Amino acid sequence: MKISEMRYVQFKDIKYKFPKDSWLYWRNEKHDGEFDENWVIYVEDTFEVENVNLDDPFTIFNAIENLTDINQEACMAVLIDGNFKAENIYNNESDGSICLCVLGNLDADNMIVGGQELYITGNLNIKECFWGNYNHGDLIVKGETKTRVFVATEGYHYDYKKERVTAEFFLCDEEEEDGIFDRTFPEAVFSEEILYTEDEVEEDDLFTWNAWLSRSEAIKMLEKNDSIIKKDIHVISKEEQKNTELSSIPKCFENTVFNGFSSFILQLDNFHKLMSIVKLHKEEYQYYTFEDYEVQLHPDTEEGQAHAMFTHVSGFIFFICIVTDENEGEVLSAVYRENEESSFINVFQQGTALHYITSLNILWNDLLTRAERGAYFYNKFLKTVKPEEILSFLNLPIVQEKYNDYKDADKNNFWYGGYCFLMRRHGERGLAGSIDIGKEREAETFDMRTYCFRPDELDEPERCNLFYASSQENLSDDSYSGNGEVFKVFLYDWKLFRESTEWYPKVGKAFTAMNEEYLEEKNI
């Protein structure tokens, strides 16, 4: 390349070339020429090189007159007025590095960047891995972004909606809703040389995929043109993991399908097993919704016999319970009625329409499936969410001294990692305290879905209860939607117990980090 095609110029002399929405341009305009006296490496045409270290670009962009005499430390950006092709582009300093603006397409094998604005007016094509780290970095691509592995850690800014981002595998911190950053995903994708071991990673650091990845080792590999990702990548999706867990749940119920009275009465053993699961909750009245039915479960008590009742919005009811036959034996009974004015009729009475048996079969099998899965995830919830741990978080100085007034909106919650944490140090009806986790829902008005973890100090001090609100603005159409109201969750809504268990680890990370920050502020 000719020397005349590469110049070292001041920003004020070349700023008209920068896109008007680029950070360098609009910030310079807003702050009265803040960057005017800084310097830019300007390449006037399409450019192709091997590796580029954006912390020290002059090792590559060296065809500049009087290179030894110029102030290299004043360089703030590289501007390529055309397409740019490189093998690997990287920088170690993710808190502040040289910006790169390409007025065309950028093609590379790998990019490990952070601490600067990368502005591409065309397409960004990365053969293997793009990795952007830290919230001082921005990736702006006006065209399409294509790569095999796309990584964004510790608040790196990019097109979060991925409207023009295509990749086989994404490792993006903000998408990890359950907050579980285990080694499984990174070790399936990356070369072992850049991965930390389990012993090298602190639990408190596991709020980002970056905790497992050595940036410095990855850059060393790129400097030698070694690949940092595996040739054959096999990642088990979260959906696959969840399905595997579901299939591993021990079976409680057998032969759950019936097509007539003789096969229905064989459900007696399943009914007894169901009622033993019902007793995992202390409440005598438990419920959930399924399609247009409210399903109510009631264990055997002094006030009433054990039963399952399916109530349709129209008023139609199925009722299942145990009755005594002429030989004083137990028999399972199923009756129905059309509405409150009508009498109950045996589902298996001669002449009853077949669709009643079919509908009851569907409802019964859904109930048993929910109970089986619910018992599993409810017990998992109880093992994960410990009352003493909840109370220990509520006793931290940050809660006792700063977020200590539930009635004051400024003193009852904080935001951390995209989630809102609301806390009560004590409450009514035996509540020893409560920690709620809320996440904003996509809606025109501000709205959140929230899980509430509440120790029950009076009746079952060794357990936490789960409450839930799917919408604080009453925007959802399920039974958990209310204007600021939260509702008790029973194990039949097993998906909520599963998700709440995935959310719960965020509590420890958030309260620990915020408490440490608060104590540091106090000591300054």
Side-chain angles (χ1 to χ4, degrees), residues 306-338:
H307 66 261
M309 185 164 68
F310 307 87
T311 305
H312 193 267
V313 291
S314 65
F316 178 91
I317 292 176
F318 283 118
F319 189 91
I320 298 178
C321 67
I322 295 176
V323 297
T324 303
D325 63 11
E326 61 274 11
N327 298 318
E328 300 298 317
E330 289 186 342
V331 178
L332 195 62
S333 167
V335 297
Y336 74 91
R337 74 179 184 187
E338 297 288 351

Side-chain angles (χ1 to χ4, degrees), residues 70 107 110 118 136 151 165-166 185 210 310 315 367 379 385 402 424 440-441 448 460 473 488 509 523:
I70 63 177
D107 293 85
N110 295 277
L118 298 178
H136 288 182
V151 184
V165 181
T166 303
F185 199 174
N210 194 41
F310 307 87
L367 169 57
N379 285 319
V385 184
K402 187 174 182 179
R424 306 185 219 203
E440 186 175 358
R441 298 173 73 247
M448 285 199 305
E460 295 180 290
E473 297 294 337
K488 176 73 179 285
K509 294 175 182 177
N523 294 328

